[in-house]
Amino acid sequence: ASALAAPVPRRLEAVVDGGPPIDLGTAGDFVILTKTGITTVPDSVIVGDIGASPITFESMTGFSMVADSSNTFSTSTQLTGKAYAADYVSPTPSKLTTAISDMATAYTDAASRATSNGATLNVLAGLIAGKTFTPGVYTWGTDVSFGSDIYLSGTAADRFVFQTSGNVGVGAGAKVLLIPDGSGG
């Protein structure tokens, strides 16, 4: 099962429909954090740090990584931040263990949130390319995918929770974009 919270600033605390915050803790330091692996394709660009734990550096494929001389992280031309893996030297394993634990706590909180209303249940059967979302909790019993941009209509203070029992697929070049209230997308 997967949950996606967006937008993803450096420290995310999500407030949904006036509810209590979803605190990502140190997981909020990563734009992608996984226990199972990260795969990318040429010409993709990821803005921010990524991490994989308890799995190794080899679980991040397609990046042409270059290890830093400290061996605590790697860099890639497809990544504006740093890549961290559990098999790098200290303090990286401890940092990732804490972040993965914080991610699990945030996931449990986000997954327990009730769908905002009937209109936020199984939106477009999970094929959400081009869709504009307003703040709230969205729930799917299917995979969720978008091959082109999706839009979050609101302000930087608004939060959106996407819950799915399936996978999340993002097509090459597709983005999640925050747009001002009412400007459409």
Side-chain angles (χ1 to χ4, degrees):
S2 299
L4 172 67
V8 185
R10 295 295 291 169
R11 276 279 190 183
L12 177 67
E13 289 186 350
V15 178
V16 181
D17 294 338
I22 298 172
D23 182 6
L24 287 181
T26 60
D29 293 340
F30 297 88
V31 295
I32 300 174
L33 180 62
T34 182
K35 294 168 61 174
T36 60
I38 303 167
T39 301
T40 190
V41 295
D43 300 325
S44 64
V45 177
I46 298 172
V47 179
D49 292 344
I50 63 174
S53 180
I55 53 183
T56 65
F57 158 79
E58 286 82 17
S59 67
M60 296 183 280
T61 61
F63 288 97
S64 300
M65 298 280 196
V66 176
D68 179 73
S69 62
S70 68
N71 203 29
T72 58
F73 65 89
S74 290
T75 60
S76 167
T77 58
Q78 294 173 262
L79 181 63
T80 64
K82 298 173 182 173
Y84 297 91
D87 58 338
Y88 289 162
V89 300
S90 184
T92 301
S94 176
K95 174 181 181 170
L96 286 169
T97 297
T98 301
I100 291 290
S101 177
D102 290 348
M103 177 179 72
T105 300
Y107 173 85
T108 299
D109 183 4
S112 72
R113 301 290 174 110
T115 302
S116 297
N117 59 56
T120 63
L121 182 62
N122 294 315
V123 174
L124 299 173
L127 303 173
I128 60 172
K131 174 74 177 154
T132 299
F133 294 90
T134 56
V137 178
Y138 295 83
T139 305
W140 290 270
T142 61
D143 288 351
V144 174
S145 65
F146 55 102
S148 61
D149 298 348
I150 62 171
Y151 305 91
L152 308 179
S153 180
T155 69
D158 291 326
R159 300 295 181 239
F160 306 77
V161 174
F162 291 5
Q163 303 169 333
T164 179
S165 57
N167 296 306
V168 176
V170 181
K175 298 182 239 24
V176 178
L177 301 168
L178 178 64
I179 57 174
D181 279 327
S183 68

